Amino acid sequence: MPFDELNTASMSEPTLATVPAGPASFASQKQTRVLGGGLILLALALAYLFLVFWNGGIAGKATDPQQVCAAGNYLCFHVSSDAKLLILVMLAGALGSFIHAATSFGDFVGNKRLTTNWLWWYILKPFIGTVLAVIFYLCVRGGFLSGATQADSINLYGITALAGLVGMFSKQATDKLSEVFDTMFKTSAGDLKRKEGLDNPVPVLSGSEPARLAPGARDVVITLTGKGFVNGSVVQINGSARTTTFKDSTHLSAALQDADTAREGQMKVTVVNPAPGGGTSEQLVLTIADLATTQAPTGESDSEHDVDSCDVAVTLPTADEDLPAARGGVAS
């Protein structure tokens, strides 16, 4: 999974282990190059701005406002000590998130499993880290996590390092803020965690139409019934994905390949729901057999009443007039 060694994955983050097998909208080479190049340019811009605002450190309020110049002194403006420190925190948070996003991007591109539905995650990740670092910084300055101090007395290395780590370890930072909030606003009745409902369920497969297929059948489309199906569910035949059409949460259709029904046997059908959450359903076994050979012979009855006294099936009953005359009786 992305950044697995640092354990920074969150529930809404793409992971290599949970990407479903089967048809997917993989990112094109153009999309990959644009996103990769954008991440490189973003890193260079963030590093440059960080150095610009770092220059001179944080002076006391007596020297406010301070002049900051960029682009060879062509772009100069004045900021206060508090504003300069806040900007440094934002840049450090964005740099930390860049590390997370770039590592994840490299993992997926290297494994050729980058899909288009996660492109916005990589675009928004640095902005998420920026805002999260600011919130964390405000908590520090507000005294929630430590004592309140003035801007010129804050350890610049410490606060920017913390901001960078918040951006890099966004899940742990969010959990810490949640812990602080729960402690401050805990109710006597106890807190119930709100479930976001973003996780896909594990699908349940209950039936198929048709339930039996003839060997050699072509262009077969089966309709599966069950529950927990989502837009993105993939039907697998013997472990291989097939073109799937989502109808609703209880119905899917899948187009079989001619090789699936080429010969008699059994076909194992499963449904895979994508991440987040998701999973694989239990197997449903479909039989591929000649329908004529599975039916009872003509004239044979399956009724339990059509048997003689020796439990032998009666296939051609004899008319009463064809029976021999009764003999014997009771002696007088």
Side-chain angles (χ1 to χ4, degrees):
M1 70 175 58
F3 223 49
D4 178 56
E5 58 274 10
L6 294 178
N7 192 26
T8 58
S10 63
M11 292 181 62
S12 59
E13 177 183 340
T15 57
L16 290 172
T18 56
V19 172
S25 179
F26 290 102
S28 64
Q29 286 189 353
K30 181 179 179 180
Q31 291 172 321
T32 302
R33 289 171 182 172
V34 170
L35 182 57
L39 288 173
I40 293 174
L41 292 177
L42 176 63
L44 294 176
L46 290 174
Y48 174 74
L49 291 175
F50 188 83
L51 292 175
V52 167
F53 281 91
W54 183 274
N55 185 32
I58 303 297
K61 289 186 176 295
T63 61
D64 280 348
Q66 303 175 50
Q67 180 174 316
V68 177
C69 294
N73 295 330
Y74 286 103
L75 181 61
C76 295
F77 47 92
H78 294 82
V79 294
S80 65
S81 298
D82 285 330
K84 187 176 183 181
L85 181 57
L86 182 60
I87 294 172
L88 283 171
V89 166
M90 295 171 64
L91 293 172
L95 283 170
S97 290
F98 162 78
I99 296 174
H100 189 176
T103 306
S104 171
F105 176 78
D107 286 344
F108 274 83
V109 172
N111 286 275
K112 298 181 178 180
R113 299 183 70 178
L114 179 64
T115 55
T116 55
N117 55 315
W118 285 109
L119 294 182
W120 275 107
W121 184 90
Y122 294 105
I123 295 173
L124 294 176
K125 184 62 179 176
F127 297 96
I128 295 173
T130 298
V131 176
L132 188 58
V134 170
I135 294 175
F136 224 88
Y137 166 74
L138 294 176
C139 289
V140 172
R141 292 296 302 274
F144 292 130
L145 301 180
S146 65
T149 54
Q150 298 299 322
D152 56 345
S153 61
I154 288 180
N155 185 332
L156 190 57
Y157 290 93
I159 195 65
T160 52
L162 177 63
L165 291 173
V166 167
M168 189 184 306
F169 299 95
S170 56
K171 179 180 182 299
Q172 289 86 336
T174 305
D175 291 343
K176 182 61 179 179
L177 291 175
S178 175
E179 179 183 329
V180 172
F181 191 87
D182 290 342
T183 302
M184 293 179 58
F185 298 98
K186 187 174 180 64
T187 61
S188 59
D191 298 319
L192 296 176
K193 286 190 175 293
R194 180 170 61 91
K195 183 175 180 60
E196 296 293 343
L198 293 177
D199 286 1
N200 290 323
V202 177
V204 176
L205 188 56
S206 59
S208 171
E209 178 61 37
R212 185 187 299 270
L213 302 171
R218 295 179 175 273
D219 301 325
V220 177
V221 176
I222 60 175
T223 299
L224 301 178
T225 57
K227 61 180 181 179
F229 302 150
V230 298
N231 189 9
S233 295
V234 177
V235 176
Q236 292 187 343
I237 303 298
N238 297 327
S240 299
R242 296 294 180 263
T243 302
T244 305
T245 302
F246 173 77
K247 295 184 176 180
D248 53 50
S249 61
T250 59
H251 294 87
L252 294 174
S253 65
L256 303 185
Q257 298 179 0
D258 293 343
D260 296 334
T261 57
R263 58 182 61 86
E264 293 187 352
Q266 290 185 331
M267 184 169 57
K268 297 178 181 179
V269 183
T270 54
V271 175
V272 179
N273 278 359
T280 305
S281 69
E282 295 290 336
Q283 290 182 350
L284 178 68
V285 178
L286 301 185
T287 301
I288 304 173
D290 190 348
L291 300 181
T293 61
T294 60
Q295 296 176 350
T298 303
E300 180 176 344
S301 173
D302 292 330
S303 173
E304 61 181 289
H305 302 292
D306 295 337
V307 296
D308 62 10
S309 58
C310 297
D311 291 334
V312 177
V314 179
T315 58
L316 296 175
T318 304
D320 291 342
E321 58 271 17
D322 295 332
L323 293 174
R327 296 184 180 180
V330 181
S332 55

